[in-house]
Amino acid sequence: MEALQHSFSPPAGSVLWRRQFLVGVATAAYQVEGAVSADGRLPSIWDTFSATPGKVLHGDTGAQACDHYHRWAEDVDLLAALNVDAYRLSIAWPRVMDAAGRPNAAGIAFYRKLLQRLKDKGVRTSVTLYHWDLPQHLEDTGGWLNRDTIYHFADYADLMSRELAGLVDFWSTLNEPWCSAMLGYGTGHHAPGHADLGAANQAMHHLLLAHGLAIPILRRNDPASAKGIVINVGRGTTDGATPADQHAAELFELQHNDWVLDPLLRGRYPARLHTELWPQAAPNVRDGDMAIIAAPLDFIGINYYFRTNVRDDGEGGYVELPLAGVERTQMGWEVHPDGLCDLLVGFHRRYENLPPLYITENGMASDDKVVDGAVIDGQRIAFLNRHLAAVDEAVRLGVDVRGYYIWSLLDNFEWAFGYERRFGIVHVDYATQRRTLKRSAELVRDFLAKRRSMA
């Protein structure tokens, strides 16, 4: 473990040494851009939510964030200097369209300049259309509970894929629909702050429908790019000894993983979801909906962070019971690399039509500080080493994984946790906006430079 905290040197034969295996970094618009009212940008649900007292730690908002909207050129230079193959970013829907659905030229120009500079630097581009920042005016008419929102999303996907055709290597429709549905509509922990399981299930259905409608539009407008979706997955295990406890772990993964993957890859929701777990929460599904959702994909992005330990709750469901004595991050999440391998191999064996996979987010938060001009983030270095070893093992077992993106390039606005939790491999001093490479960034940079020299 000690050695893993001071080096980033994958063993010979590791998938990381393959030049075609993408190594990248990722961000999201609301978390880094700031400039929330600049150049015609409209309010999003996260502007509203973060401005509501008690919703975000310390009352933080994304109003300034990393000021990436103004500092994008230097940020591109910074990530290019890290020698990464690819950059994953998202487009802020409220920045590129007005309330009537008309294009906002200034917002579109921002993304065109950003993507062109990335191309000029030789960095491949991975663009997510929806990373949680729904325009507030759409939430005012029901948000993802209103079926009309899926058609607004299709119009948005059409506009952006026409405007940015040729500048995008990978289009992702949605980021983590589980979080949008469950945290935004089921528990209220995220914007827009609703707390109803029935609403979460209906929101999920509309999110997946929006995805399904967008895929053929992206294919038509930008045929040379790859099209997919990004999902967050969770490993559920139990330390309980009873069959009921094992059943509880299965139910955890059913609602966290199968709820999204089954409709995407099998054209149906898992039956147990609405018979065993949420019998009163089934969404309204119209004829033809599931065929739309199951549109063929070029890839699926996998976001993985931690394992969850559960036990039977005595009522046929599950209750989360955190394990004691395990390594955790600043978020309180257990560090469990084997869970990533287990999930990847499980998906590979379960879904015959599983497309190629990219690890589109993996990383950890720590309380990083600049000391004498340096940030020594040993736990993160070990975290990356161990999770990349887990990806290696999955590839050895037959899983088609083609890339890995570190979350995140920059410390940023971490949603309901504000600015306290730092996920970046680059430290951001929010008062001065000074960027400082952490030791993890330096090691990744040096490894990728060595890999290039050997190509």
Side-chain angles (χ1 to χ4, degrees):
M1 180 69 172
E2 182 69 20
L4 291 174
Q5 294 179 326
H6 299 286
S7 66
F8 187 82
S9 52
S14 166
V15 69
L16 260 76
W17 287 106
R18 302 176 190 172
R19 191 65 182 87
Q20 68 271 27
F21 185 87
L22 292 186
V23 178
V25 289
T27 64
Y30 191 73
Q31 295 181 267
V32 299
E33 285 181 1
V36 295
S37 58
D39 297 332
R41 181 190 179 278
L42 301 179
S44 77
I45 56 174
W46 270 96
D47 294 306
T48 302
F49 188 78
S50 61
T52 304
K55 296 297 185 182
V56 175
L57 194 65
H58 307 311
D60 293 339
T61 76
Q64 184 179 23
C66 305
D67 196 31
H68 176 69
Y69 186 75
H70 297 114
R71 300 169 186 266
W72 63 272
E74 64 187 79
D75 285 341
V76 170
D77 291 346
L78 182 152
L79 75 88
L82 293 176
N83 300 315
V84 295
D85 303 309
Y87 177 49
R88 178 174 173 244
L89 63 130
S90 75
I91 294 171
W93 188 351
R95 200 179 288 287
V96 296
M97 299 180 85
D98 70 11
R102 295 178 298 240
N104 176 18
I108 294 169
F110 166 71
Y111 292 107
R112 187 178 291 117
K113 290 185 296 184
L114 172 60
L115 292 166
Q116 186 60 62
R117 190 174 184 92
L118 288 162
K119 287 291 186 183
D120 293 344
K121 294 287 185 179
V123 178
R124 300 186 72 181
T125 54
S126 180
V127 173
T128 304
L129 285 169
Y130 184 69
H131 201 126
W132 305 355
D133 45 0
L134 186 72
Q136 181 62 44
H137 66 87
L138 292 178
E139 174 59 27
D140 292 341
T141 61
W144 290 112
L145 299 180
N146 183 348
R147 192 177 175 99
D148 287 346
T149 300
I150 71 174
Y151 305 110
H152 292 299
F153 183 80
D155 290 342
Y156 163 54
D158 181 48
L159 173 66
M160 297 318 299
S161 55
R162 283 187 286 109
E163 291 284 350
L164 302 178
L167 293 174
V168 177
D169 293 299
F170 303 90
W171 284 104
S172 298
T173 53
L174 308 175
N175 177 76
E176 300 184 351
W178 186 94
C179 289
S180 294
M182 181 56 74
L183 301 183
Y185 290 86
T187 67
H189 293 159
H190 280 186
H194 303 306
D196 177 82
L197 271 175
N201 277 265
Q202 193 61 57
M204 175 66 85
H205 185 63
H206 288 160
L207 282 155
L208 294 178
L209 267 176
H211 153 80
L213 285 179
I215 288 292
I217 294 170
L218 298 172
R219 291 197 186 284
R220 181 186 69 226
N221 291 345
D222 196 8
S225 60
K227 291 84 180 172
I229 186 172
V230 171
I231 68 170
N232 60 302
V233 298
R235 181 69 171 124
T237 61
T238 183
D239 64 341
T242 69
D245 291 327
Q246 185 58 51
H247 179 254
E250 293 171 2
L251 287 182
F252 175 86
E253 292 198 0
L254 179 80
Q255 63 82 30
H256 207 99
N257 306 328
D258 304 359
W259 187 18
V260 182
L261 281 170
D262 274 20
L264 290 173
L265 298 176
R266 293 178 168 174
R268 62 180 184 269
Y269 291 107
R272 295 169 63 196
L273 192 69
H274 298 118
T275 57
E276 295 184 40
L277 192 59
W278 300 328
Q280 309 301 320
N284 177 23
V285 178
R286 298 184 187 178
D287 289 346
D289 281 0
M290 301 312 296
I292 292 171
I293 290 171
L297 301 170
D298 300 323
F299 70 91
I300 290 178
I302 298 292
N303 295 354
Y304 173 82
Y305 288 97
F306 59 94
R307 170 177 67 167
T308 301
N309 183 69
V310 300
R311 288 194 186 179
D312 174 50
D313 66 358
E315 300 179 354
Y318 64 85
V319 60
E320 297 182 13
L321 289 175
L323 295 169
V326 298
E327 180 187 356
R328 297 190 180 277
T329 71
Q330 188 190 20
M331 295 290 287
W333 297 344
E334 181 188 355
V335 178
H336 189 69
D338 288 348
L340 176 56
C341 181
D342 292 343
L343 289 169
L344 294 174
V345 172
F347 299 153
H348 171 68
R349 293 174 177 170
R350 178 173 181 178
Y351 298 104
E352 294 181 357
N353 60 335
L354 185 71
L357 303 178
Y358 292 83
I359 309 305
T360 36
E361 288 184 27
N362 182 237
M364 59 156 286
S366 56
D367 185 18
D368 300 320
K369 294 179 173 61
V370 180
V371 179
D372 296 329
V375 182
I376 308 302
D377 53 339
Q379 187 187 15
R380 178 174 293 104
I381 296 163
F383 181 101
L384 296 176
N385 274 308
R386 293 161 65 195
H387 282 81
L388 283 163
V391 173
D392 252 345
E393 178 66 8
V395 171
R396 189 186 67 80
L397 293 172
V399 186
D400 186 4
V401 184
R402 300 188 180 183
Y404 176 95
Y405 293 77
I406 299 167
W407 184 270
S408 174
L409 171 65
L410 302 170
D411 292 338
N412 56 47
F413 177 80
E414 187 47 45
W415 307 112
F417 294 96
Y419 295 103
E420 183 181 274
R421 314 296 166 91
R422 293 181 176 270
F423 276 88
I425 59 171
V426 176
H427 182 277
V428 177
D429 182 325
Y430 297 112
T432 65
Q433 291 298 328
R434 179 181 175 84
R435 275 78 159 137
T436 302
L437 297 190
K438 301 179 187 179
R439 183 58 180 152
S440 57
E442 295 172 341
L443 291 173
V444 168
R445 175 198 65 198
D446 295 347
F447 164 71
L448 291 175
K450 182 177 181 181
R451 188 180 75 165
R452 286 187 181 183
S453 70
M454 298 173 64

